[in-house]
Amino acid sequence: MSVHTDKDGKDKVVAAPNGNASTVKNINDVLKEREKESKGKGEDKEMSLDSTERVKVLSPGQLVFKRFITNKLAILGSFILIAMFVFSFIAPFFYPYGQTEIFYKYDNSVIDYAQAVERNDFTAYYLVDENSVHYSVKNFLTASINSMKESGKDELDLQDNDGNSYTLRKNEDNIFTLFVTDREQVATFGGNVEYGTYSIIGGGSFAAADGIEIPEGLEAAIKDAVAAKSTEFSFKGDTYTLKQVKKSYTVSKASDGYSYIGKALGSDFEAKADAAGNGDRFEMGGVTYVVEVVKDTKNVYKLAGETEAALLTTYVFDSYDSSKPVKDDFKVAAVRAKVDGTDFSVNGTDYTLSEDEGETVVYEAGDSKTPVCVFSDFVIRRYSGEDSLDYDFKEKVREVIDEMTESNTKVSKFTWNIAQVDENGEYTYDENGELIKEEREVTLTKKNNAYVMTVLQVVHLIDTFAPPSREHIAGTDGDGMDVFARMMYGGRVSLVFSFIVVIIETILGIIMGGIAGYYGKWVDNLIMRMVDVFYCIPSMPILIILGAMFDAMKLKPYVRVAWLMAVLGFLGWAGVARMVRGQILSLREQECMVATEAVGLKTGRRIFRHLIPNVMPQLIVTATSGLGSVIITESTLSFLGLGVKHPLATWGTMINSVSTAEAMKLYTYIWVPVGLLICLTVIAFNFVGDGLRDAFDPKMKR
Amino acid sequence: MAKFIAKRLGLCVLIFFFATFMVYVLEYSLPTSYVEKTAMELSQRPGSLKSAQQWMDELNAQYGMDKGIVKGYFTWLSNSARGNFGDSWSQTMPVTDLFKKCIWYSFVMGLIAFVLEIFIAIPLGVTAARKQYSMTDYTVTVVSLVGISMPTFFVATVLKLIFSVRLGWFELVGMQGRNYATLDQWGRLGDLAMHLVLPITTLTIIGIGGLMRYTRTNMLEVLNADYIRTARAKGLPEKKVISHHAFRNTLIPLVTILGGSLPGLFSGALITETLFGIRGIGYYSYYAMVAGDIPFTMFYLAFISILTLLGNLISDILYAVVDPRVRIN
């Protein structure tokens, strides 16, 4: 009796056990028939020694399966692998968190809540176009006011670089007004008067300037001076200067008189102007003149009047209703009103001022006398600079600061209802739209001339390195992401990565090995030398170089992964090719291949339909162990930070993120389970690979 | 035999040309922008004596990057053959000097781990094969598979956690203790040895599994051979059967594979050295590769290719020496 395997892999028996020589039946059918017969005849019939009932025939597939499941390690490996696939491909659907979801937590933490600073700087509210005040005055306003305070002056004249004059006037200690003086030029004195141009071309010619009367003989004197190459010459007691411009000379004489813009003002004016220096003023005929000296020119201006340019004040306005901060035009009007001691109205609403316990309070005019805001010289703001504190709080802070100043202490505490903020740092409101407040202790500390208020407040933080808990089974990592979710997605990346790489190298290996083994001769030689070359090239260094290059080129995470898979697959085909080629070399000589040749099958069909399927068992074994080693390579690369990148989760990166000495010690609950997952997966692949090899080829079973 | 060796040598030279050519092509096809940027960055580091332009010029002269790919390859090859490898960009010293400085650490580490592997793995493998299907056998099989399956970085991290962080016996990284300068010669040697314990342990753990498996497989093959049955049939004591008849025959493939891995002792351990901060060739080459230091990377790749080739050559020759059947074919 002989057994052979046909295309479907089923066993057929060409047998003649009981003389049925002419029929060819499947042994299973025969066995079934026998069974029926024996049942019909009764249980007590003894089985004959050559009975086929004694023989149980399994198909090769069944045989392999049976041998596989008797291998304990292989079964263990299979279970681990199935668990791993469920864990990384199916479990994420039932797990509530994603791989890049960031978790937050609430925590009590001392925060810098607010700050109080005494105002010394003046704020300027401009009443004219701000740009019309020159920066040389504008930038020194506070300094000018300080100098006024020191010298006890109530008024200070200022001049900018353009010669405009300003006046600063004190209204009260904290309010000053800046006036711009309007002026009109009336006369100039000094400087040079141009007489004309002397050209030396064509023996010399003099062209007089417009409107200048040339004294007789001046032209001849110029000619002499030019010939003598002197830059100055005297003529009739006056000194003239020559200035060479290319081939001509400009002749000018220092002016000794006044030239007027408009009508002449006479010798009396000139005498007073002569006596005045830069910035000095003099009066004549009820008009004030001011003198300005620029180099050797003296300009005289008539002062026409003054315009109010800016209001300067150190006051800040604390609103009673913190949701309605006061506007600039209101501030200007209020400051003015305080100076003048009057009422004022803005946008149709009337307001009155009144002194109240040393503070000036602005009320809305009318019977209700609603307080609007108060003049204050302390700026109390949220630490972020936002003016959103309520009036009562500010009032309390001012009180405490006063006490502190009196008792000369640096730290003080008081309790207050502090408005609570949510995760975005915004105020929280209850269902009635009221601010949610909680009683907290406010610590007021003096730092230089500022008072910092710190409060223990609930803050919303990224929940980093949370230990394992009910919400996060394996805790959270340094980015506040759920470790367990990342383990699942990391497994997905690792498994998909290794499958694709192994598929690439197997396909390449089958093609190259198949061609080499089938054709032999020089083709085989060529491909095998290529295999040798690929064996020589170290793959890990090349992957590291590529990883560093991808880093420098800032490739996107997915593009990187694709490249890494392609390169790893391309570098790994040599082993598969060598194995396939070896198998095919021995298979080629067998009868079945001779038969395919005799039947006249095409080469491609012979290689891929008849040779390759016979190599399949070895291929599956190689590929299974290959999967494990690719996972190791990938996780090593990721561990080095050169493989799969954040935010994609991989096992290697997860371990890398806690590999410093301190983190390693503190966060073992992150890296140990992840490391064990890698080991388990690779071990499982190796167990299954070993089991498969033993099952396919029992002769090799050791 | 001479003919066999000559043939293998000739083949090796051919493969060497193609392998180094592939390595050269890889470096040649790095984007120019990347190379220039790297040169620019590295030249601005403290201690760098040359400008980026000088480096680029040197690189072109050395590697023929500005020439065609084949011409460039031969430029590089002729320069390298004369021992001219240029200056390492990341360490700013000649590549050959850096190589001389770091290679012995790698070699010592590799050698000790190699010897340890042999002395642990081979007896265990033999024992496992002798008692096939016993508890020992299963343990050895599982342990060796686990050893093969563990990534180096995980083993290193676990060892660091246990022995450096928890027990505090060894330092985490580096090669010198903080009082190194005050030690005498023997003290310094001891200090270095203490720093090498964990890396060598890592290398041994990683390497042991494969060798154990290989020994076991080959020992089993030999034990199933007819001459062992004959030896037992003629009544030799089991001890003699194993040590004289079986083990000596198992040595044939073992010697081949171990001989072949001798050149590999020089190749350094890329990951282990980097993780433990051992200044061997693996450490420097890792940082050279990450920093984009082309001269040292190129040298390292070519060096590794040559070592692999040498290893193959040695194992081929050893195979032919111990097994006369190979020589005939």
Side-chain angles (χ1 to χ4, degrees):
Chain A
M1 151 170 148
S2 69
V3 180
H4 81 264
T5 311
D6 76 357
K7 218 168 75 177
D8 305 327
K10 279 182 189 159
D11 282 354
K12 281 191 178 174
V13 173
V14 185
N18 291 340
N20 286 341
S22 58
T23 53
V24 177
K25 280 184 176 174
N26 190 309
I27 194 161
N28 287 333
D29 300 338
V30 176
L31 283 171
K32 275 177 198 163
E33 264 172 44
R34 283 297 161 101
E35 210 170 332
K36 262 185 199 170
E37 272 174 40
S38 66
K39 271 185 183 166
K41 281 172 189 168
E43 301 286 318
D44 57 330
K45 193 200 172 252
E46 242 180 72
M47 223 182 269
S48 62
L49 202 64
D50 64 341
S51 164
T52 44
E53 279 172 66
R54 290 176 173 276
V55 188
K56 268 193 181 169
V57 180
L58 296 171
S59 73
Q62 283 172 319
L63 271 176
V64 167
F65 182 71
K66 194 185 161 196
R67 282 199 292 262
F68 184 78
I69 59 167
T70 46
N71 186 334
K72 286 174 210 159
L73 290 182
I75 288 300
L76 178 67
S78 312
F79 275 118
I80 296 175
L81 278 189
I82 291 169
M84 212 58 85
F85 273 91
V86 170
F87 176 70
S88 44
F89 287 95
I90 299 170
F93 291 114
F94 301 100
Y95 197 66
Y97 309 135
Q99 61 170 327
T100 53
E101 205 175 329
I102 295 171
F103 293 91
Y104 294 87
K105 65 172 174 190
Y106 291 95
D107 201 359
N108 276 319
S109 144
V110 176
I111 59 158
D112 286 336
Y113 182 72
Q115 194 180 28
V117 187
E118 193 175 1
R119 285 280 306 197
N120 292 319
D121 287 357
F122 282 80
T123 313
Y125 297 102
Y126 287 93
L127 308 167
V128 296
D129 178 20
E130 196 182 330
N131 294 323
S132 68
V133 180
H134 197 268
Y135 68 89
S136 57
V137 168
K138 199 153 79 181
N139 294 353
F140 296 100
L141 281 175
T142 302
S144 309
I145 291 168
N146 287 342
S147 75
M148 278 170 77
K149 281 182 182 167
E150 269 171 35
S151 58
K153 278 188 197 166
D154 283 351
E155 198 173 303
L156 181 72
D157 290 333
L158 298 168
Q159 262 188 346
D160 67 16
N161 293 352
D162 289 348
N164 298 313
S165 41
Y166 302 85
T167 313
L168 256 181
R169 282 205 192 98
K170 179 179 169 181
N171 301 318
E172 58 172 86
D173 276 348
N174 294 321
I175 303 174
F176 285 76
T177 318
L178 179 74
F179 293 93
V180 181
T181 314
D182 305 322
R183 58 189 196 172
E184 200 178 294
Q185 193 168 10
V186 288
T188 352
F189 172 82
N192 285 330
V193 178
E194 202 175 290
Y195 267 69
T197 322
Y198 177 81
S199 174
I200 52 172
I201 299 168
S205 60
F206 183 76
D210 287 344
I212 299 283
E213 211 174 295
I214 307 290
E216 216 172 299
L218 180 69
E219 203 172 331
I222 294 170
K223 212 168 188 172
D224 292 345
V226 170
K229 288 186 178 170
S230 58
T231 54
E232 265 183 19
F233 66 94
S234 295
F235 178 70
K236 287 185 182 170
D238 292 331
T239 308
Y240 294 84
T241 51
L242 285 170
K243 200 180 162 199
Q244 191 175 7
V245 183
K246 286 181 184 172
K247 290 199 167 171
S248 57
Y249 292 83
T250 311
V251 184
S252 52
K253 191 185 96 173
S255 160
D256 53 353
Y258 281 84
S259 42
Y260 291 97
I261 297 154
K263 64 172 185 182
L265 294 167
S267 58
D268 210 10
F269 170 83
E270 281 169 24
K272 280 189 173 173
D274 277 343
N278 187 26
D280 286 350
R281 292 173 184 202
F282 61 89
E283 236 169 275
M284 203 184 88
V287 182
T288 312
Y289 295 94
V290 66
V291 172
E292 177 196 59
V293 179
V294 183
K295 286 182 186 169
D296 48 359
T297 314
K298 193 179 260 183
N299 295 320
V300 184
Y301 298 92
K302 182 170 89 180
L303 293 185
E306 283 177 337
T307 316
E308 212 174 27
L311 267 177
L312 298 140
T313 178
T314 55
Y315 284 124
V316 287
F317 295 86
D318 284 336
S319 276
Y320 279 91
D321 185 353
S322 63
S323 63
K324 284 185 209 153
V326 291
K327 298 206 175 77
D328 274 2
D329 52 350
F330 179 89
K331 288 179 190 170
V332 172
V335 171
R336 271 234 182 96
K338 184 167 163 60
V339 173
D340 302 342
T342 57
D343 299 340
F344 66 99
S345 70
V346 177
N347 291 340
T349 320
D350 293 324
Y351 299 94
T352 53
L353 299 177
S354 70
E355 292 288 323
D356 190 10
E357 292 171 15
E359 284 174 339
T360 311
V361 186
V362 182
Y363 292 98
E364 222 168 279
D367 300 333
S368 59
K369 277 204 111 184
T370 325
V372 179
C373 63
V374 67
F375 283 70
S376 151
D377 44 9
F378 253 104
V379 189
I380 303 169
R381 296 278 186 271
R382 282 300 302 274
Y383 206 74
S384 57
E386 188 187 343
D387 180 18
S388 58
L389 294 165
D390 54 16
Y391 179 77
D392 294 341
F393 182 78
K394 287 179 181 174
E395 176 99 21
K396 175 74 187 170
V397 169
R398 253 181 249 124
E399 231 170 71
V400 174
I401 288 174
D402 283 344
E403 279 168 25
M404 281 168 78
T405 326
E406 266 170 42
S407 59
N408 202 15
T409 49
K410 295 233 164 176
V411 182
S412 171
K413 288 181 180 179
F414 64 95
T415 36
W416 199 260
N417 265 331
I418 298 289
Q420 296 298 306
V421 290
D422 67 358
E423 62 231 55
N424 301 319
E426 279 160 21
Y427 288 115
T428 47
Y429 298 90
D430 62 9
E431 60 272 19
N432 303 327
E434 298 279 319
L435 271 169
I436 298 174
K437 290 182 177 178
E438 259 180 64
E439 202 142 283
R440 300 275 169 185
E441 191 176 53
V442 181
T443 311
L444 204 67
T445 316
K446 189 176 183 204
K447 285 179 185 166
N448 298 329
N449 56 354
Y451 295 84
V452 179
M453 280 152 268
T454 50
V455 167
L456 196 68
Q457 200 172 35
V458 173
V459 286
H460 200 238
L461 299 168
I462 292 180
D463 192 8
T464 55
F465 293 123
S469 62
R470 194 178 280 264
E471 292 95 66
H472 304 292
I473 300 169
T476 58
D477 65 6
D479 299 315
M481 299 173 184
D482 186 79
V483 172
F484 199 69
R486 285 181 79 76
M487 277 183 198
M488 291 174 178
Y489 287 93
R492 201 182 268 198
V493 169
S494 288
L495 289 173
V496 169
F497 189 97
S498 60
F499 267 95
I500 293 177
V501 169
V502 167
I503 287 170
I504 295 173
E505 51 183 44
T506 309
I507 290 174
L508 273 175
I510 288 175
I511 294 172
M512 301 299 269
I515 293 171
Y518 184 80
Y519 287 105
K521 290 174 196 158
W522 67 270
V523 180
D524 180 30
N525 232 325
L526 180 77
I527 293 179
M528 281 306 104
R529 294 299 80 78
M530 275 170 73
V531 166
D532 285 339
V533 168
F534 270 87
Y535 259 142
C536 271
I537 297 173
S539 62
M540 199 65 191
I542 287 183
L543 289 170
I544 293 176
I545 295 170
L546 285 179
M549 196 183 84
F550 292 160
D551 268 1
M553 293 167 73
K554 296 191 171 62
L555 248 59
K556 283 176 186 151
Y558 285 103
V559 182
R560 262 184 100 97
V561 175
W563 268 105
L564 285 179
M565 288 192 292
V567 171
L568 212 52
F570 182 68
L571 290 173
W573 64 272
V576 182
R578 185 175 272 188
M579 195 272 296
V580 170
R581 175 242 183 201
Q583 288 291 314
I584 285 177
L585 274 185
S586 65
L587 278 171
R588 202 171 61 160
E589 308 302 326
Q590 288 182 5
E591 284 94 345
C592 60
M593 290 317 294
V594 179
T596 57
E597 210 170 343
V599 171
L601 292 181
K602 281 181 194 154
T603 317
R605 199 177 161 81
R606 258 158 49 203
I607 295 179
F608 293 108
R609 292 301 294 274
H610 294 269
L611 281 176
I612 301 297
N614 279 306
V615 189
M616 248 1 198
Q618 277 80 8
L619 266 180
I620 293 173
V621 173
T622 322
T624 316
S625 326
L627 287 170
S629 63
V630 173
I631 288 183
I632 292 190
T633 313
E634 182 269 325
S635 56
T636 307
L637 265 185
S638 301
F639 176 77
L640 295 174
L642 299 165
V644 182
K645 286 274 178 175
H646 194 83
L648 284 182
T650 61
W651 291 338
T653 338
M654 288 173 75
I655 297 184
N656 178 39
S657 65
V658 285
S659 61
T660 58
E662 198 57 25
M664 191 197 293
K665 194 165 115 190
L666 290 173
Y667 311 125
T668 41
Y669 57 84
I670 295 177
W671 68 267
V672 170
V674 177
L676 289 178
L677 275 182
I678 301 176
C679 292
L680 262 185
T681 315
V682 182
I683 289 169
F685 274 123
N686 282 334
F687 279 168
V688 172
D690 263 22
L692 280 175
R693 196 194 55 211
D694 292 347
F696 278 129
D697 191 356
K699 272 182 293 174
M700 286 293 289
K701 189 172 167 78
R702 303 292 175 211
Chain B
M1 189 68 191
K3 199 183 157 197
F4 173 80
I5 293 175
K7 201 179 148 193
R8 295 298 312 178
L9 266 176
L11 211 58
C12 263
V13 171
L14 190 75
I15 295 169
F16 166 75
F17 272 108
F18 280 100
T20 46
F21 184 66
M22 295 254 328
V23 171
Y24 178 79
V25 168
L26 178 87
E27 297 281 332
Y28 187 90
S29 33
L30 286 179
T32 323
S33 58
Y34 170 65
V35 178
E36 278 172 0
K37 199 179 136 227
T38 318
M40 205 79 87
E41 275 172 15
L42 291 182
S43 66
Q44 279 158 4
R45 277 200 200 167
S48 157
L49 302 171
K50 289 168 186 167
S51 72
Q53 192 52 48
Q54 269 171 309
W55 269 354
M56 289 303 294
D57 292 345
E58 271 178 24
L59 190 73
N60 283 337
Q62 171 88 27
Y63 287 77
M65 294 273 196
D66 47 352
K67 296 175 186 145
I69 198 155
V70 177
K71 213 175 165 188
Y73 169 67
F74 283 105
T75 313
W76 170 74
L77 200 65
S78 67
N79 272 322
S80 310
R82 275 179 262 142
N84 175 14
F85 291 98
D87 289 354
S88 159
W89 288 1
S90 54
Q91 301 295 324
T92 61
M93 57 156 75
V95 166
T96 40
D97 287 2
L98 183 57
F99 173 70
K100 278 178 210 152
K101 189 177 117 184
C102 65
I103 189 65
W104 295 110
Y105 292 119
S106 290
F107 178 71
V108 167
M109 245 174 72
L111 187 68
I112 296 174
F114 185 66
V115 171
L116 281 176
E117 274 167 34
I118 291 175
F119 279 100
I120 297 171
I122 293 181
L124 280 176
V126 169
T127 319
R130 269 178 59 196
K131 302 174 182 168
Q132 200 185 1
Y133 303 128
S134 69
M135 205 55 218
T136 327
D137 185 29
Y138 270 112
T139 317
V140 167
T141 312
V142 171
V143 166
S144 64
L145 266 176
V146 169
I148 294 170
S149 310
M150 280 202 291
T152 316
F153 69 88
F154 185 61
V155 177
T157 316
V158 170
L159 286 180
K160 276 182 179 180
L161 177 76
I162 297 173
F163 295 103
S164 303
V165 179
R166 296 255 182 245
L167 298 177
W169 292 354
F170 307 104
E171 274 171 52
L172 265 181
V173 282
M175 284 168 61
Q176 297 178 351
R178 67 188 64 159
N179 54 351
Y180 183 81
T182 62
L183 296 172
D184 61 355
Q185 206 180 346
W186 289 107
R188 288 184 179 190
L189 202 64
D191 188 57
L192 181 64
M194 280 299 276
H195 284 89
L196 287 180
V197 169
L198 284 188
I200 289 174
T201 315
T202 311
L203 285 182
T204 314
I205 291 175
I206 296 299
I208 221 166
L211 193 58
M212 214 140 79
R213 226 158 109 90
Y214 192 74
T215 314
R216 178 177 170 272
T217 316
N218 283 296
M219 187 72 183
L220 277 177
E221 200 168 330
V222 172
L223 284 174
N224 286 339
D226 292 340
Y227 53 83
I228 297 295
R229 198 176 305 133
T230 312
R232 284 193 179 129
K234 74 179 182 185
L236 281 182
E238 183 66 13
K239 211 174 172 184
K240 202 164 185 186
V241 173
I242 298 295
S243 59
H244 273 72
H245 296 255
F247 184 61
R248 286 193 181 181
N249 277 300
T250 315
L251 277 180
I252 296 176
L254 278 182
V255 165
T256 321
I257 199 170
L258 292 179
S261 54
L262 277 178
L265 298 182
F266 287 96
S267 68
L270 199 68
I271 312 290
T272 314
E273 282 176 18
T274 310
L275 291 184
F276 286 100
I278 304 298
R279 264 62 172 170
I281 189 163
Y283 174 89
Y284 282 115
S285 61
Y286 173 75
Y287 283 104
M289 286 185 282
V290 172
D293 170 2
I294 291 175
F296 195 75
T297 308
M298 194 58 191
F299 170 79
Y300 178 71
L301 287 179
F303 181 63
I304 296 291
S305 309
I306 292 170
L307 288 182
T308 318
L309 268 174
L310 262 181
N312 288 346
L313 187 69
I314 291 176
S315 81
D316 276 356
I317 292 172
L318 277 177
Y319 201 39
V321 169
V322 294
D323 193 346
R325 284 169 298 176
V326 178
R327 265 174 275 171
I328 295 156
N329 293 326

